[in-house]
Amino acid sequence: NAGVTQTPKFRVLKTGQSMTLLCAQDMNHEYMYWYRQDPGMGLRLIHYSVGEGTTAKGEVPDGYNVSRLKKQNFLLGLESAAPSQTSVYFCASSYGLVKYFGPGTRLTVT
Amino acid sequence: GNSVTQMEGPVTLSEEAFLTINCTYTATGYPSLFWYVQYPGEGLQLLLKATKADDKGSNKGFEATYRKETTSFHLEKGSVQVSDSAVYFCASIQDTGRRALTFGSGTRLQVQP
């Protein structure tokens, strides 16, 4: 039981490049989330999903897209990266109120 | 909307000292409240939670009581250890539809031997 895993762990992009972050969970959870963590700001919700095939916007969705084609996977895409998207990205899943977080992806956009 | 405010850090304590990290929330109803901990280089882990007024969450010697009157959920520990050094996040869930956490800004705790 791996819990929540994230790929990759680190990435450096140039402005304008695109990439996809993968989140996978093996707990059969319906709800999944993408957060970004910036210094002094806690974690902010980017997008979330309440089940396979569904996605919805969170607090800071601009510049990101997501897909939930399979229940166990939640993908976060950056179509044209900007330096403002330099951050640590955390994925989480939940069944009830308790969230289970992945180890994070540190993304730097130069 | 709802928000969570917690004390700024870093908080630096000596081993065996008493810890308090203040957290207050704003909400239109009665949210569920949480403390999460993030150890260096890791993701967040649930430390404790409380889902209704006067509930006390506890785990690993940490405690927090849901105070509706003061809209607070302060984290306390009687005797901290070096291994408690981490960043602590207070968080709430109000929207039971999406069940998304609203986080405070985090408080870094450094415990010195």
Side-chain angles (χ1 to χ4, degrees):
Chain A
N1 189 338
V4 180
T5 57
Q6 292 183 233
T7 310
K9 288 185 169 49
F10 304 93
R11 186 72 185 268
V12 179
L13 288 180
K14 294 186 188 305
T15 298
Q17 288 184 320
S18 64
M19 78 164 293
T20 299
L21 281 67
L22 170 64
C23 175
Q25 53 97 1
D26 60 3
M27 296 173 282
N28 202 36
H29 289 166
E30 292 289 343
Y31 288 65
M32 295 187 75
Y33 308 83
W34 276 107
Y35 289 88
R36 58 178 289 172
Q37 181 181 29
D38 300 294
M41 299 185 73
L43 280 75
R44 293 179 292 167
L45 182 66
I46 305 171
H47 286 280
Y48 66 99
S49 168
V50 300
E52 181 179 315
T54 75
T55 63
K57 294 180 180 180
E59 302 163 4
V60 290
D62 293 343
Y64 305 96
N65 57 75
V66 287
S67 65
R68 183 100 182 267
L69 298 179
K70 293 183 179 180
K71 188 177 184 179
Q72 63 266 34
N73 296 336
F74 194 29
L75 279 63
L76 178 71
L78 288 72
E79 291 185 347
S80 179
S84 61
Q85 293 177 305
T86 293
S87 188
V88 181
Y89 292 85
F90 286 99
C91 175
S93 70
S94 72
Y95 175 71
L97 296 179
V98 176
K99 305 290 181 286
Y100 297 85
F101 284 83
T105 294
R106 184 174 294 275
L107 175 66
T108 301
V109 183
T110 62
Chain B
N2 56 318
S3 65
V4 176
T5 303
Q6 60 182 106
M7 61 189 289
E8 299 227 359
V11 174
T12 303
L13 296 173
S14 298
E15 207 164 22
E16 299 185 1
F18 185 86
L19 168 71
T20 299
I21 301 178
N22 291 338
C23 171
T24 57
Y25 67 90
T26 60
T28 53
Y30 300 105
S32 295
L33 301 173
F34 305 80
W35 277 100
Y36 279 81
V37 59
Q38 184 180 30
Y39 297 104
E42 299 183 10
L44 281 71
Q45 304 173 24
L46 178 67
L47 182 58
L48 52 85
K49 66 178 172 66
T51 57
K52 60 182 188 295
D54 299 325
D55 268 2
K56 178 186 283 189
S58 61
N59 186 25
K60 298 181 181 179
F62 291 88
E63 293 183 341
T65 300
Y66 191 141
R67 303 281 187 203
K68 183 178 64 174
E69 316 78 40
T70 54
T71 61
S72 65
F73 193 55
H74 303 324
L75 182 67
E76 296 182 335
K77 186 175 185 183
S79 177
V80 294
Q81 306 299 313
V82 172
S83 57
D84 293 327
S85 298
V87 181
Y88 292 82
F89 292 93
C90 186
S92 70
I93 291 178
Q94 173 145 35
D95 181 348
T96 56
R98 67 180 192 176
R99 303 181 193 173
L101 287 161
T102 296
F103 285 91
S105 57
T107 302
R108 181 175 299 278
L109 170 65
Q110 296 174 315
V111 181
Q112 298 176 336

